[in-house]
Amino acid sequence: LSYDLGRRFERVRGPVLPESPWPEIEFRFYDALVACHAATGKAEIWACDEASARRIAGKLLQSQPVCDEDGALVGAGPLEEMETPDRHLAAVSRALDYILAGDIYQVNLARRLGCAFPLRSVEAPGLSLFAALEAAAPAPFAIWLADGESGTALVGNSPERFLSRSVAGQLE
């Protein structure tokens, strides 16, 4: 579920954001995934069968980020802003006005950035980028969602929780 989906149900002040290449809503079934626990730093593979677990473990073992001496990923295109700096600064200004007026006390503004990234044949999309980001700026909550069919990936690095699962298995 995207943040943009909220605009379908709730009137949000401000300009319309540039269209995202990602759908507003999408549900998928993954036969295997890696869950990394922020508190312990440990990771585990959750899979529907042993073959799926072996496949994702093999992809992880084959993936090594290729960085130059400055830590930049070799072959990655430059980061491109998906909105103009002026538009972002205007959003910051509006947020400060809302805070000063007492309408809100906190705001989380994010910028969308994208880049072309070479895909090695043995690697899942974006996995090297995710590994390099984790190595350069580890965060307690990170996300890597890849679509092998389209070759796209969503990579994120955040100090805030994206999803949580209760002991009963309920996701929030």
Side-chain angles (χ1 to χ4, degrees):
L1 306 176
S2 74
Y3 286 114
D4 298 339
L5 181 62
R7 290 178 179 266
R8 300 267 184 199
F9 302 99
E10 197 174 300
R11 201 171 128 210
V12 179
R13 286 192 266 181
V16 176
L17 298 172
E19 190 167 322
S20 169
W22 292 84
E24 290 181 341
I25 186 169
E26 183 173 0
F27 293 98
R28 291 178 176 236
F29 171 78
Y30 291 93
D31 58 357
L33 60 90
V34 178
C36 301
H37 301 278
T40 64
K42 294 186 178 183
E44 51 187 29
I45 293 175
W46 298 346
C48 63
D49 57 39
E50 191 166 330
S52 299
R54 289 184 191 279
R55 189 189 78 257
I56 199 167
K59 292 274 188 191
L60 290 170
L61 291 172
Q62 292 172 348
S63 176
Q64 294 295 321
V66 182
C67 300
D68 64 18
E69 59 276 359
D70 296 323
L73 288 167
V74 174
L79 283 177
E80 296 176 6
E81 299 171 356
M82 297 177 79
E83 66 178 332
T84 66
D86 290 343
R87 185 175 219 161
H88 183 73
L89 290 174
V92 170
S93 179
R94 275 193 315 279
L96 291 172
D97 290 342
Y98 291 144
I99 290 171
L100 289 172
D103 293 339
I104 61 174
Y105 65 91
Q106 175 183 335
V107 65
N108 296 326
L109 290 176
R111 296 182 78 178
R112 291 181 182 162
L113 302 172
C115 75
F117 194 79
L119 179 63
R120 296 185 296 241
S121 62
V122 297
E123 180 182 87
L127 188 55
S128 287
L129 178 61
F130 177 75
L133 182 61
E134 279 293 293
F141 303 103
I143 186 168
W144 165 64
L145 294 174
D147 180 356
E149 292 175 18
S150 69
T152 60
L154 174 67
V155 177
N157 197 11
S158 176
E160 297 180 357
R161 184 181 314 272
F162 182 69
L163 291 173
S164 67
R165 182 174 57 108
S166 70
V167 174
Q170 183 176 351
L171 289 176
E172 315 182 334

